[in-house]
Amino acid sequence: TGGANQTQVGLAVTKFTRGRYENINSPQRLEVLLQEIGAQVTKSHDVQSHQFRLTVERPAGASGNLEKVSMGARSGLQTTSLSFDGRVP
């Protein structure tokens, strides 16, 4: 039953991560699958390498509600979306 449990765990993780599960039973399939994973990592890196994090911080001593956050682009940067959840530490 150990193999069945492993399969169930693999399927549950796949469902949770919206990934894919594949039962590998031959070295040849593993070789091809590793090449596919490498291609996916490369593609993800190309897309995500252009992302950035914006941190908003109040000046020392400032207080009150933070009502509006704005952002401008420069040096060829393009802003596609900016969200603000209203929570300020």
Side-chain angles (χ1 to χ4, degrees), residues 36-50:
E36 291 175 10
I37 291 171
Q40 287 178 339
V41 168
T42 300
K43 183 179 178 183
S44 294
H45 174 72
D46 289 344
V47 171
Q48 294 174 357
S49 66
H50 303 294

Side-chain angles (χ1 to χ4, degrees), residues 22-37:
E22 192 165 331
N23 189 11
I24 301 171
N25 58 7
S26 73
Q28 291 80 14
R29 180 62 191 131
L30 182 58
E31 180 181 352
V32 172
L33 187 58
L34 287 174
Q35 292 173 7
E36 291 175 10
I37 291 171

Side-chain angles (χ1 to χ4, degrees), residues 3-5 7 16-17 26 28 31 33 37-38 43-45 48 61 63 65 67-71 82-84 86-87:
N5 289 338
T7 300
F16 180 75
T17 62
S26 73
Q28 291 80 14
E31 180 181 352
L33 187 58
I37 291 171
K43 183 179 178 183
S44 294
H45 174 72
Q48 294 174 357
S63 63
N65 290 331
E67 299 289 334
K68 183 178 179 182
V69 175
S70 61
M71 179 177 154
L82 176 65
S83 61
F84 174 65
R87 291 180 292 154

